[in-house]
Amino acid sequence: MVIKRAEYVTGAAYPAQLIGGDTPEIAVAGRSNVGKSSFINLITGNSKLAKTSKDPGRTRLVNYFSVNGGEFNLVDLPGYGFARVSDDEKLKWAELIEAYFAARKNLRHVFLLLDVRREPGEGDVQMINYMYHYAIPFTVVLTKADKLSRSQTIVRRRQTAQALKIGADNIIVSSALTRQGKEDVLTRMEEVLSIDVSQ
Ligand SMILES: Nc1nc2c(ncn2[C@@H]2O[C@H](COP(=O)(O)OP(=O)(O)OP(=O)(O)O)[C@@H](O)[C@H]2O)c(=O)[nH]1
Ligand SMILES: [Mg+2]
């Protein structure tokens, strides 16, 4: 997969604003500050496409990016697990995410991002349960690999696989700084988009 161009399409704050249509979608999910927006910028090769921030909870919208002039949409989902949000906001988040997954017709794959240094949290497990519930295929990505040594990363990858009961081969290690993992993600995207879902 070569991403030649990517443009911001729209951000949905409410379920009614989620976009339909037939364009395949690949979503990026994970807790606040895990590096979702940075991951989208890494994959598209455009460091200014998705807004990144040191302050957790920056992305409150479901943000759509159109790749290669409509080949597919990359979707930046709002992060969870941010302690300093009100119950009202948490509810709004849950409604938006529920509505997103419920109208998941074109959703081909989710990249679930986890910080390589952290144990999967409650929100991560909930997200995985959503994906099993709706039978949405997903790949786990360990972000910020530049923060650990190679050997520490290998250990974290194995531990994460055990904690989530998934194969270690199904986990991609990435870094927005060193661009590690970019090619693996692009290869996976190509695979998931080439699966014939019409039957
Ligand atoms: N060292 C390092 N820092 C990273 C990496 N990816 C993201 N960051 C930093 O982590 C912080 C959060 O990154 P974002 O991409 O904004 O995270 P997000 O998941 O989109 O956050 P929300 O939109 O708030 O949910 C920023 O300060 C980024 O520069 C990485 O691979 N390595
Ligand atoms: Mg973000």
Side-chain angles (χ1 to χ4, degrees), residues 10 15-25 64 73 100 103 105-106:
T10 186
Q17 295 172 331
L18 292 167
I19 59 175
D22 294 328
T23 309
E25 281 177 18
Y64 291 84
N73 285 334
Y100 179 74
K105 211 164 40 76
N106 304 322

Side-chain angles (χ1 to χ4, degrees), residues 2-188:
V2 178
I3 295 190
K4 295 196 205 83
R5 58 198 183 99
E7 293 108 16
Y8 180 67
V9 181
T10 186
Y14 306 99
Q17 295 172 331
L18 292 167
I19 59 175
D22 294 328
T23 309
E25 281 177 18
I26 293 179
V28 180
R31 62 178 288 133
S32 286
N33 210 43
V34 71
K36 295 176 295 298
S37 300
S38 304
F39 176 82
I40 286 183
N41 293 343
L42 168 72
I43 296 314
T44 57
N46 180 346
S47 63
K48 296 194 178 74
L49 189 63
K51 285 199 190 70
T52 64
S53 169
K54 285 197 180 63
D55 309 320
R58 183 76 180 77
T59 313
R60 300 271 170 89
L61 307 173
V62 173
N63 280 317
Y64 291 84
F65 302 90
S66 171
V67 177
N68 292 344
E71 186 180 348
F72 69 99
N73 285 334
L74 258 180
V75 183
D76 192 0
L77 296 176
Y80 46 81
F82 176 43
R84 266 180 290 152
V85 299
S86 64
D87 285 350
D88 232 32
E89 288 231 53
K90 280 183 190 154
L91 193 67
K92 219 178 122 195
W93 178 88
E95 281 171 2
L96 190 57
I97 292 284
E98 281 268 12
Y100 179 74
F101 282 126
R104 70 203 176 282
K105 211 164 40 76
N106 304 322
L107 179 59
R108 298 292 185 82
H109 206 78
V110 173
F111 285 92
L112 177 66
L113 274 47
L114 302 174
D115 188 314
V116 72
R117 298 164 296 177
R118 298 177 68 119
E119 297 296 318
E122 200 185 320
D124 301 314
V125 172
Q126 232 175 51
M127 189 56 81
I128 288 176
N129 287 338
Y130 264 134
M131 290 184 289
Y132 281 132
H133 178 77
Y134 287 115
I136 299 163
F138 66 93
T139 299
V140 169
V141 177
L142 296 180
T143 62
K144 308 192 185 184
D146 54 279
K147 299 273 194 186
L148 293 183
S149 70
R150 262 180 76 91
S151 57
Q152 286 171 317
T153 301
I154 292 168
V155 172
R156 286 295 309 133
R157 186 184 188 179
R158 200 166 50 227
Q159 287 171 340
T160 307
Q162 276 166 1
L164 299 178
K165 301 184 180 68
I166 58 175
D169 288 350
N170 216 13
I171 298 179
I172 295 174
V173 174
S174 86
S175 164
L177 285 192
T178 66
R179 304 201 177 121
Q180 181 184 352
K182 176 174 174 172
E183 287 310 315
D184 291 343
V185 171
L186 288 171
T187 302
R188 181 62 56 92

